[in-house]
Amino acid sequence: MALVQKSPEVFLAEGPIAAVGEGEIATLKAAVKASPKGRARINAHPDGDDALHEMIIAIDACSYIRPHKHPGKSEAFHIVEGEVDIVVFKDDGEIDRIVPLGAPGSGRPFYYRMSKPFFHTLIIRSRVLIVHEITNGPFRPEATVYADFAPEDSDTHNTAAYRADLVRRVAARQGTTA
């Protein structure tokens, strides 16, 4: 299988059969290091109009993912490597629940599916997270709803403060230290 680099953060698994192994994961990890957002992915689906989207995504622990939701879509994660807390919010920004996930053998669940549009974000608990994400298409960026209670990605000062506060709030709910 050949990977075609579509952008610094996006690779396409070319052809009708996609197989991802250690070499492709190494490619993603290298791309994450060079990515300003700390994320890179391999799309197994041919384009944004496909009805089913499958991605292998690498996310650096320092990456900020603004809380968001996807009306009319489901989302599933299968953890390949690393650990993450998926933080699910009420519409006002209060934490509703935390879904801890990890690779098989970590002692955490390795799979989750969200079938309703809740605001959510990720707190990466390992140096890098490798996740297999599945969602329904087509992809329409304007259909993603971003939470008003969280800063935009471009607001680096406030994203750092928000992220630190969120980590503290999650730790308090889990009974751990941040």
Side-chain angles (χ1 to χ4, degrees), residues 39 58 107 109:
R39 301 187 287 255

Side-chain angles (χ1 to χ4, degrees), residues 14-53:
E14 201 170 53
I17 298 174
V20 175
E22 292 178 12
E24 291 78 16
I25 296 297
T27 297
L28 281 180
K29 287 180 177 180
V32 162
K33 288 179 184 176
S35 164
K37 291 184 178 182
R39 301 187 287 255
R41 71 179 187 269
I42 297 170
N43 289 348
H45 55 282
D47 61 55
D49 289 329
D50 204 68
L52 179 65
H53 288 217

Side-chain angles (χ1 to χ4, degrees), residues 32 38 59-64 123-129 163:
V32 162
I59 310 168
D60 184 86
C62 296
S63 184
Y64 172 70
I123 297 177
I124 312 301
R125 298 296 188 183
S126 50
R127 188 181 60 73
V128 67
L129 177 72
R163 193 171 178 283

Side-chain angles (χ1 to χ4, degrees), residues 33-96:
K33 288 179 184 176
S35 164
K37 291 184 178 182
R39 301 187 287 255
R41 71 179 187 269
I42 297 170
N43 289 348
H45 55 282
D47 61 55
D49 289 329
D50 204 68
L52 179 65
H53 288 217
E54 288 194 69
M55 299 152 282
I56 304 295
I57 306 169
I59 310 168
D60 184 86
C62 296
S63 184
Y64 172 70
I65 298 171
R66 185 177 181 191
H68 62 283
K69 61 183 172 181
H70 310 282
K73 293 185 179 252
S74 295
E75 172 181 284
F77 278 8
H78 168 226
I79 306 303
V80 176
E81 181 181 316
E83 293 187 354
V84 63
D85 288 333
I86 298 174
V87 184
V88 181
F89 300 92
K90 297 178 182 176
D91 284 344
D92 65 0
E94 184 180 333
I95 295 172
D96 184 44

Side-chain angles (χ1 to χ4, degrees), residues 17 24 39 107-108 139 149 153 159 177:
I17 298 174
E24 291 78 16
R39 301 187 287 255
R108 291 173 160 222
F139 175 65
F149 58 79
D153 294 14
T159 58
T177 56

Side-chain angles (χ1 to χ4, degrees), residues 93-164:
E94 184 180 333
I95 295 172
D96 184 44
R97 71 184 76 168
I98 301 160
V99 182
L101 297 173
S106 69
R108 291 173 160 222
F110 61 84
Y111 172 85
Y112 105 115
R113 181 175 191 267
M114 182 184 305
S115 57
K116 293 199 176 202
F118 299 111
F119 283 117
H120 60 285
T121 191
L122 310 178
I123 297 177
I124 312 301
R125 298 296 188 183
S126 50
R127 188 181 60 73
V128 67
L129 177 72
I130 308 292
V131 60
H132 172 212
E133 179 179 339
I134 303 168
T135 189
N136 46 314
F139 175 65
R140 302 290 180 255
E142 67 279 1
T144 300
V145 177
Y146 290 97
D148 290 337
F149 58 79
E152 294 184 23
D153 294 14
S154 59
D155 186 354
T156 55
H157 173 72
N158 285 324
T159 58
Y162 175 81
R163 193 171 178 283

